[in-house]
Amino acid sequence: MTVAVDDELWSAIGDPIRRRLLDLLLTEGVGTPTSLSDRLPISRQAVTKHLGVLDRAGLVHATPMGRERRYEVDEAQLSRAVRQLNEVGKTWDARLNRIKRIAEQIQRQKND
C-alpha cells in the first residue's frame, strides 16, 4: 500500500523553527510575528517568512489585526499531517518486518 504524502506539508514541518512556531501557536492559541519572534532566536522578518511557508502548506491561517497578522494553527490540517505520519510509519513497519522475515529465512537456510 502506497501512502499519498503531501511533500509541501512535510517540507514545512521539516524545519525545526517552523515546528517550534507550531508548538508556540498550539500552546498559546494565537500569535503575531512580533510576539512569536520575542520567544525565538530569530528576527520578526524571519518569523514572518516561516509563517508564510506554514500558511502556504495550510498549517496556519492568518487574520489581519491592525498592522499585523494574527496566526492560528489549522487543526484540521495538522490532524491530516498526523494521520499521514501514522500511515507512513505503518508502511515502514510492514517493510521492516518483511526485511526481517527475509533475513531470518536466509539465516535458517545457511544453518541447514
PDB file of all heavy atoms in Angstrom, residues 21-42:
ATOM      1  N   LEU A  21       7.465  27.126  15.961  1.00  0.00           N
ATOM      2  CA  LEU A  21       6.363  28.074  15.779  1.00  0.00           C
ATOM      3  C   LEU A  21       5.016  27.376  15.973  1.00  0.00           C
ATOM      4  O   LEU A  21       4.120  27.910  16.645  1.00  0.00           O
ATOM      5  CB  LEU A  21       6.416  28.716  14.390  1.00  0.00           C
ATOM      6  CG  LEU A  21       7.453  29.815  14.195  1.00  0.00           C
ATOM      7  CD1 LEU A  21       7.601  30.161  12.714  1.00  0.00           C
ATOM      8  CD2 LEU A  21       7.074  31.060  14.993  1.00  0.00           C
ATOM      9  N   LEU A  22       4.871  26.193  15.393  1.00  0.00           N
ATOM     10  CA  LEU A  22       3.631  25.433  15.580  1.00  0.00           C
ATOM     11  C   LEU A  22       3.404  25.118  17.051  1.00  0.00           C
ATOM     12  O   LEU A  22       2.282  25.257  17.559  1.00  0.00           O
ATOM     13  CB  LEU A  22       3.655  24.146  14.757  1.00  0.00           C
ATOM     14  CG  LEU A  22       3.478  24.298  13.259  1.00  0.00           C
ATOM     15  CD1 LEU A  22       3.764  22.978  12.550  1.00  0.00           C
ATOM     16  CD2 LEU A  22       2.088  24.804  12.913  1.00  0.00           C
ATOM     17  N   ASP A  23       4.468  24.700  17.751  1.00  0.00           N
ATOM     18  CA  ASP A  23       4.352  24.417  19.193  1.00  0.00           C
ATOM     19  C   ASP A  23       3.877  25.648  19.955  1.00  0.00           C
ATOM     20  O   ASP A  23       2.989  25.556  20.801  1.00  0.00           O
ATOM     21  CB  ASP A  23       5.698  23.962  19.773  1.00  0.00           C
ATOM     22  CG  ASP A  23       6.087  22.558  19.367  1.00  0.00           C
ATOM     23  OD1 ASP A  23       5.215  21.795  18.909  1.00  0.00           O
ATOM     24  OD2 ASP A  23       7.285  22.229  19.493  1.00  0.00           O
ATOM     25  N   LEU A  24       4.489  26.796  19.662  1.00  0.00           N
ATOM     26  CA  LEU A  24       4.102  28.034  20.344  1.00  0.00           C
ATOM     27  C   LEU A  24       2.648  28.393  20.055  1.00  0.00           C
ATOM     28  O   LEU A  24       1.898  28.772  20.963  1.00  0.00           O
ATOM     29  CB  LEU A  24       5.024  29.195  19.937  1.00  0.00           C
ATOM     30  CG  LEU A  24       6.449  29.135  20.474  1.00  0.00           C
ATOM     31  CD1 LEU A  24       7.322  30.201  19.803  1.00  0.00           C
ATOM     32  CD2 LEU A  24       6.453  29.319  21.989  1.00  0.00           C
ATOM     33  N   LEU A  25       2.258  28.291  18.794  1.00  0.00           N
ATOM     34  CA  LEU A  25       0.881  28.625  18.440  1.00  0.00           C
ATOM     35  C   LEU A  25      -0.112  27.641  19.062  1.00  0.00           C
ATOM     36  O   LEU A  25      -1.194  28.043  19.497  1.00  0.00           O
ATOM     37  CB  LEU A  25       0.708  28.658  16.920  1.00  0.00           C
ATOM     38  CG  LEU A  25       1.379  29.835  16.221  1.00  0.00           C
ATOM     39  CD1 LEU A  25       1.338  29.650  14.708  1.00  0.00           C
ATOM     40  CD2 LEU A  25       0.730  31.154  16.622  1.00  0.00           C
ATOM     41  N   LEU A  26       0.243  26.376  19.133  1.00  0.00           N
ATOM     42  CA  LEU A  26      -0.639  25.396  19.774  1.00  0.00           C
ATOM     43  C   LEU A  26      -0.766  25.674  21.269  1.00  0.00           C
ATOM     44  O   LEU A  26      -1.848  25.558  21.839  1.00  0.00           O
ATOM     45  CB  LEU A  26      -0.125  23.976  19.541  1.00  0.00           C
ATOM     46  CG  LEU A  26      -0.367  23.418  18.152  1.00  0.00           C
ATOM     47  CD1 LEU A  26       0.454  22.158  17.929  1.00  0.00           C
ATOM     48  CD2 LEU A  26      -1.847  23.149  17.919  1.00  0.00           C
ATOM     49  N   THR A  27       0.325  26.072  21.889  1.00  0.00           N
ATOM     50  CA  THR A  27       0.315  26.359  23.325  1.00  0.00           C
ATOM     51  C   THR A  27      -0.439  27.643  23.636  1.00  0.00           C
ATOM     52  O   THR A  27      -1.242  27.690  24.572  1.00  0.00           O
ATOM     53  CB  THR A  27       1.764  26.478  23.851  1.00  0.00           C
ATOM     54  OG1 THR A  27       2.432  25.245  23.595  1.00  0.00           O
ATOM     55  CG2 THR A  27       1.794  26.783  25.333  1.00  0.00           C
ATOM     56  N   GLU A  28      -0.179  28.673  22.843  1.00  0.00           N
ATOM     57  CA  GLU A  28      -0.732  29.995  23.139  1.00  0.00           C
ATOM     58  C   GLU A  28      -2.048  30.280  22.419  1.00  0.00           C
ATOM     59  O   GLU A  28      -2.713  31.267  22.728  1.00  0.00           O
ATOM     60  CB  GLU A  28       0.310  31.060  22.799  1.00  0.00           C
ATOM     61  CG  GLU A  28       1.554  30.910  23.662  1.00  0.00           C
ATOM     62  CD  GLU A  28       2.697  31.819  23.245  1.00  0.00           C
ATOM     63  OE1 GLU A  28       2.491  32.695  22.391  1.00  0.00           O
ATOM     64  OE2 GLU A  28       3.791  31.624  23.792  1.00  0.00           O
ATOM     65  N   GLY A  29      -2.402  29.474  21.451  1.00  0.00           N
ATOM     66  CA  GLY A  29      -3.641  29.688  20.720  1.00  0.00           C
ATOM     67  C   GLY A  29      -3.478  30.567  19.495  1.00  0.00           C
ATOM     68  O   GLY A  29      -3.914  30.221  18.421  1.00  0.00           O
ATOM     69  N   VAL A  30      -2.877  31.714  19.649  1.00  0.00           N
ATOM     70  CA  VAL A  30      -2.644  32.649  18.549  1.00  0.00           C
ATOM     71  C   VAL A  30      -1.311  33.346  18.777  1.00  0.00           C
ATOM     72  O   VAL A  30      -0.774  33.348  19.884  1.00  0.00           O
ATOM     73  CB  VAL A  30      -3.752  33.728  18.431  1.00  0.00           C
ATOM     74  CG1 VAL A  30      -5.093  33.104  18.117  1.00  0.00           C
ATOM     75  CG2 VAL A  30      -3.831  34.578  19.672  1.00  0.00           C
ATOM     76  N   GLY A  31      -0.805  33.961  17.719  1.00  0.00           N
ATOM     77  CA  GLY A  31       0.428  34.734  17.855  1.00  0.00           C
ATOM     78  C   GLY A  31       0.625  35.623  16.646  1.00  0.00           C
ATOM     79  O   GLY A  31       0.109  35.349  15.561  1.00  0.00           O
ATOM     80  N   THR A  32       1.366  36.678  16.858  1.00  0.00           N
ATOM     81  CA  THR A  32       1.751  37.574  15.774  1.00  0.00           C
ATOM     82  C   THR A  32       3.239  37.373  15.515  1.00  0.00           C
ATOM     83  O   THR A  32       3.948  36.852  16.394  1.00  0.00           O
ATOM     84  CB  THR A  32       1.503  39.044  16.150  1.00  0.00           C
ATOM     85  OG1 THR A  32       2.359  39.382  17.257  1.00  0.00           O
ATOM     86  CG2 THR A  32       0.042  39.299  16.524  1.00  0.00           C
ATOM     87  N   PRO A  33       3.717  37.787  14.363  1.00  0.00           N
ATOM     88  CA  PRO A  33       5.155  37.674  14.127  1.00  0.00           C
ATOM     89  C   PRO A  33       5.983  38.354  15.241  1.00  0.00           C
ATOM     90  O   PRO A  33       7.013  37.821  15.657  1.00  0.00           O
ATOM     91  CB  PRO A  33       5.351  38.364  12.777  1.00  0.00           C
ATOM     92  CG  PRO A  33       4.065  38.116  12.061  1.00  0.00           C
ATOM     93  CD  PRO A  33       3.011  38.240  13.147  1.00  0.00           C
ATOM     94  N   THR A  34       5.500  39.484  15.739  1.00  0.00           N
ATOM     95  CA  THR A  34       6.226  40.194  16.804  1.00  0.00           C
ATOM     96  C   THR A  34       6.240  39.375  18.088  1.00  0.00           C
ATOM     97  O   THR A  34       7.301  39.175  18.692  1.00  0.00           O
ATOM     98  CB  THR A  34       5.592  41.573  17.058  1.00  0.00           C
ATOM     99  OG1 THR A  34       5.638  42.331  15.850  1.00  0.00           O
ATOM    100  CG2 THR A  34       6.321  42.325  18.157  1.00  0.00           C
ATOM    101  N   SER A  35       5.066  38.880  18.513  1.00  0.00           N
ATOM    102  CA  SER A  35       5.019  38.128  19.775  1.00  0.00           C
ATOM    103  C   SER A  35       5.802  36.824  19.671  1.00  0.00           C
ATOM    104  O   SER A  35       6.449  36.401  20.631  1.00  0.00           O
ATOM    105  CB  SER A  35       3.571  37.849  20.188  1.00  0.00           C
ATOM    106  OG  SER A  35       2.945  36.933  19.302  1.00  0.00           O
ATOM    107  N   LEU A  36       5.756  36.196  18.503  1.00  0.00           N
ATOM    108  CA  LEU A  36       6.484  34.938  18.321  1.00  0.00           C
ATOM    109  C   LEU A  36       7.992  35.156  18.244  1.00  0.00           C
ATOM    110  O   LEU A  36       8.764  34.350  18.762  1.00  0.00           O
ATOM    111  CB  LEU A  36       5.974  34.216  17.077  1.00  0.00           C
ATOM    112  CG  LEU A  36       4.528  33.720  17.177  1.00  0.00           C
ATOM    113  CD1 LEU A  36       3.987  33.357  15.802  1.00  0.00           C
ATOM    114  CD2 LEU A  36       4.419  32.557  18.143  1.00  0.00           C
ATOM    115  N   SER A  37       8.416  36.239  17.608  1.00  0.00           N
ATOM    116  CA  SER A  37       9.858  36.493  17.493  1.00  0.00           C
ATOM    117  C   SER A  37      10.474  36.794  18.853  1.00  0.00           C
ATOM    118  O   SER A  37      11.668  36.568  19.055  1.00  0.00           O
ATOM    119  CB  SER A  37      10.147  37.633  16.512  1.00  0.00           C
ATOM    120  OG  SER A  37       9.672  38.865  17.014  1.00  0.00           O
ATOM    121  N   ASP A  38       9.662  37.295  19.798  1.00  0.00           N
ATOM    122  CA  ASP A  38      10.160  37.523  21.165  1.00  0.00           C
ATOM    123  C   ASP A  38      10.520  36.211  21.853  1.00  0.00           C
ATOM    124  O   ASP A  38      11.288  36.208  22.804  1.00  0.00           O
ATOM    125  CB  ASP A  38       9.103  38.250  22.007  1.00  0.00           C
ATOM    126  CG  ASP A  38       8.911  39.700  21.594  1.00  0.00           C
ATOM    127  OD1 ASP A  38       9.792  40.256  20.892  1.00  0.00           O
ATOM    128  OD2 ASP A  38       7.861  40.269  21.960  1.00  0.00           O
ATOM    129  N   ARG A  39       9.978  35.099  21.377  1.00  0.00           N
ATOM    130  CA  ARG A  39      10.194  33.799  22.002  1.00  0.00           C
ATOM    131  C   ARG A  39      11.202  32.936  21.263  1.00  0.00           C
ATOM    132  O   ARG A  39      11.467  31.808  21.661  1.00  0.00           O
ATOM    133  CB  ARG A  39       8.865  33.041  22.059  1.00  0.00           C
ATOM    134  CG  ARG A  39       7.675  33.807  22.630  1.00  0.00           C
ATOM    135  CD  ARG A  39       7.522  33.724  24.128  1.00  0.00           C
ATOM    136  NE  ARG A  39       7.610  32.413  24.682  1.00  0.00           N
ATOM    137  CZ  ARG A  39       6.611  31.565  24.811  1.00  0.00           C
ATOM    138  NH1 ARG A  39       5.419  31.861  24.377  1.00  0.00           N
ATOM    139  NH2 ARG A  39       6.802  30.391  25.372  1.00  0.00           N
ATOM    140  N   LEU A  40      11.722  33.452  20.136  1.00  0.00           N
ATOM    141  CA  LEU A  40      12.636  32.675  19.304  1.00  0.00           C
ATOM    142  C   LEU A  40      13.920  33.456  19.032  1.00  0.00           C
ATOM    143  O   LEU A  40      13.911  34.685  19.068  1.00  0.00           O
ATOM    144  CB  LEU A  40      11.964  32.324  17.972  1.00  0.00           C
ATOM    145  CG  LEU A  40      10.746  31.412  18.053  1.00  0.00           C
ATOM    146  CD1 LEU A  40       9.992  31.427  16.740  1.00  0.00           C
ATOM    147  CD2 LEU A  40      11.178  30.004  18.402  1.00  0.00           C
ATOM    148  N   PRO A  41      15.001  32.751  18.694  1.00  0.00           N
ATOM    149  CA  PRO A  41      16.278  33.435  18.432  1.00  0.00           C
ATOM    150  C   PRO A  41      16.399  33.934  16.986  1.00  0.00           C
ATOM    151  O   PRO A  41      17.476  33.920  16.405  1.00  0.00           O
ATOM    152  CB  PRO A  41      17.302  32.332  18.720  1.00  0.00           C
ATOM    153  CG  PRO A  41      16.599  31.076  18.324  1.00  0.00           C
ATOM    154  CD  PRO A  41      15.155  31.296  18.696  1.00  0.00           C
ATOM    155  N   ILE A  42      15.261  34.358  16.397  1.00  0.00           N
ATOM    156  CA  ILE A  42      15.284  34.865  15.032  1.00  0.00           C
ATOM    157  C   ILE A  42      14.492  36.169  14.959  1.00  0.00           C
ATOM    158  O   ILE A  42      13.704  36.477  15.860  1.00  0.00           O
ATOM    159  CB  ILE A  42      14.733  33.838  14.007  1.00  0.00           C
ATOM    160  CG1 ILE A  42      13.292  33.458  14.334  1.00  0.00           C
ATOM    161  CG2 ILE A  42      15.618  32.603  13.948  1.00  0.00           C
ATOM    162  CD1 ILE A  42      12.632  32.580  13.279  1.00  0.00           C
TER     163      ILE A  42
END
